[in-house]
Amino acid sequence: MTTAKRVKDAKIEAKFQKAREGKAPRPKFSTRKHNRCQICGRPRAYLRKFGLCRLCFRGLALRGEIPGVSKSSW
């Protein structure tokens, strides 16, 4: 094995090791799984349809970044 190949393999292994460490532990039971906002990770006030918490949803909706959602006015 050449030196270049060993260095490349070590870099790839380090990259995968970082990914393994960053992974959250899998819950033992499916009922323990808690939905979280995709943007900020907030566990409360989660909107299933959008996958966001109410705060992030409101901010994106006001900026018009969520298609089909607009601020109501009457």
Side-chain angles (χ1 to χ4, degrees):
M1 184 182 296
T2 64
T3 307
K5 179 138 174 71
R6 271 187 257 138
V7 170
K8 185 178 177 183
D9 289 344
K11 286 181 182 177
I12 292 171
E13 186 59 37
K15 184 179 176 182
F16 281 116
Q17 187 63 31
K18 279 185 184 178
R20 283 189 212 111
E21 289 171 0
K23 228 179 196 182
R26 189 168 171 239
K28 193 171 188 178
F29 304 103
S30 62
T31 54
R32 291 185 184 173
K33 184 177 160 241
H34 209 292
N35 292 325
R36 289 186 174 269
C37 176
Q38 293 175 357
I39 296 173
C40 65
R42 181 183 167 94
R44 295 181 176 178
Y46 178 82
L47 302 171
R48 280 187 185 176
K49 186 173 181 180
F50 301 98
L52 303 169
C53 68
R54 65 180 176 83
L55 304 172
C56 294
F57 174 79
R58 186 167 185 257
L60 292 173
L62 287 174
R63 285 183 272 167
E65 295 180 17
I66 302 175
V69 176
S70 61
K71 188 173 188 291
S72 66
S73 60
W74 60 92

